[in-house]
Amino acid sequence: MSGRHTGEMHSHTVEGTDPQLFVEVHDPQNDAGLRPVLLLHGFSSSSKLNWHDTGWVAALQEAGRRVITVDLPGHGRSGAPEDMDSYSPSRIRADLLQIAFDAGVRPLHDGDPTSGVDVVGYSLGARLAWEFGATQPEIVHRLVLGGPNIADPLAAFDLVAAQNYLADGTPIADESTAGLLKMAMLLPSNNIFALLSLVDAIKAEPFDPAEAVPHMPMLLVAGDQDERAATMPQLAALGIRAGSMAEQLTLPGRNHTNAITSRAFKQGAIAFLGV
């Protein structure tokens, strides 16, 4: 079911500054009468790659959900602002809040299943979703965190080595940095220098999940071949200690790259959010 597609949203600014983010809202053909779902993709990916090509948008529409997708700065069809502030996680969260309001999201209200918003994030998107849920409890109803990690892999990214490689081909010693940069360079839509600005901004605001913990119910999902799955129980424990209901789903035979394509992941998320 394709559903009705409302197209790109415009006029979402924070403090008068346009973040140049590409946002789309997708309406279902048969509305289930539930709040919309905001999808946040991973580093060096896009809404198209993470959510459209893998069938997530179609599956959510089939379940009667309105879907909001956004490309992060420098990714997909979003712009690449010159100011560093546009790439900071705190600014991105502020932009996401404005996008939600622009899409008609209203504060949660007991007895109104259309109020608020559910959030699904993958990888970097899971980090942003965790922080967004923790800081916006008045609108976030439930969270689904795919490929989550208690530490942000981008915090250890070797920016100098990446810049040297781009300048003159100097080999990158750090395997994680080399892998992330290679992945980013495979996608023509990515602005590599904007992505490095994003990494720099993330380093300036390191991820500390214990500092602000979401209190709403959350589902954490990872493939059993994903090394990040090892820290998933620690994130779940943080949520439980904060009074949240934290469920975990492990996907057999899946790694960090292909977990997003799992039918079990989609089905588990849709069921979890369908309340």
Side-chain angles (χ1 to χ4, degrees), residues 48-254:
K48 180 180 184 300
L49 290 172
N50 255 184
W51 308 120
H52 288 277
D53 294 353
T54 58
W56 275 85
V57 171
L60 285 162
Q61 286 181 300
E62 180 73 27
R65 305 300 294 268
R66 191 172 193 239
V67 182
I68 305 167
T69 58
V70 54
D71 286 343
L72 297 177
H75 293 73
R77 287 176 282 182
S78 283
E82 295 182 0
D83 62 301
M84 184 65 70
D85 179 62
S86 293
Y87 300 92
S88 68
S90 56
R91 171 57 191 269
I92 292 173
R93 293 196 304 272
D95 290 331
L96 293 176
L97 180 61
Q98 186 63 55
I99 286 166
F101 287 149
D102 290 344
V105 172
R106 296 170 290 106
L108 289 164
H109 187 273
D110 287 345
D112 182 359
T114 68
S115 65
V117 65
D118 289 324
V119 184
V120 182
Y122 195 78
S123 196
L124 172 59
R127 175 230 164 119
L128 294 170
W130 176 280
E131 294 175 321
F132 191 67
T135 56
Q136 303 300 332
E138 72 281 359
I139 68 166
V140 178
H141 174 251
R142 287 192 166 206
L143 294 172
V144 175
L145 309 174
N149 198 329
I150 203 162
D152 192 337
L154 292 177
F157 189 94
D158 190 335
L159 273 172
V160 174
Q163 291 163 345
N164 289 339
Y165 174 81
L166 293 171
D168 56 23
T170 302
I172 300 174
D174 179 62
E175 290 185 9
S176 176
T177 299
L180 286 168
L181 184 63
K182 180 180 179 181
M183 181 172 62
M185 294 178 69
L186 286 175
L187 301 178
S189 62
N190 283 343
N191 183 311
I192 297 300
F193 295 100
L195 265 59
L196 294 183
S197 294
L198 175 62
V199 173
D200 199 9
I202 285 174
K203 284 176 171 290
E205 293 184 9
F207 181 43
D208 182 0
E211 185 176 285
V213 182
H215 288 194
M216 64 285 302
M218 65 181 80
L219 173 66
L220 296 92
V221 185
D224 65 359
Q225 304 301 308
D226 184 353
E227 62 182 17
R228 304 182 189 196
T231 69
M232 192 164 68
Q234 298 175 54
L235 281 173
L238 284 175
I240 291 169
R241 284 199 295 270
S244 169
M245 178 189 76
E247 298 182 10
Q248 298 178 67
L249 174 62
T250 302
L251 307 170
R254 297 284 179 158

Side-chain angles (χ1 to χ4, degrees), residues 12-78:
H12 44 273
T13 63
V14 174
E15 296 181 354
T17 303
D18 182 0
Q20 303 177 39
L21 298 179
F22 183 81
V23 180
E24 290 182 306
V25 179
H26 315 267
D27 285 339
Q29 191 171 53
N30 298 303
D31 198 313
L34 296 173
R35 57 194 56 82
V37 181
L38 172 65
L39 302 179
L40 304 177
H41 67 76
F43 178 75
S44 82
S45 187
S46 66
S47 292
K48 180 180 184 300
L49 290 172
N50 255 184
W51 308 120
H52 288 277
D53 294 353
T54 58
W56 275 85
V57 171
L60 285 162
Q61 286 181 300
E62 180 73 27
R65 305 300 294 268
R66 191 172 193 239
V67 182
I68 305 167
T69 58
V70 54
D71 286 343
L72 297 177
H75 293 73
R77 287 176 282 182
S78 283

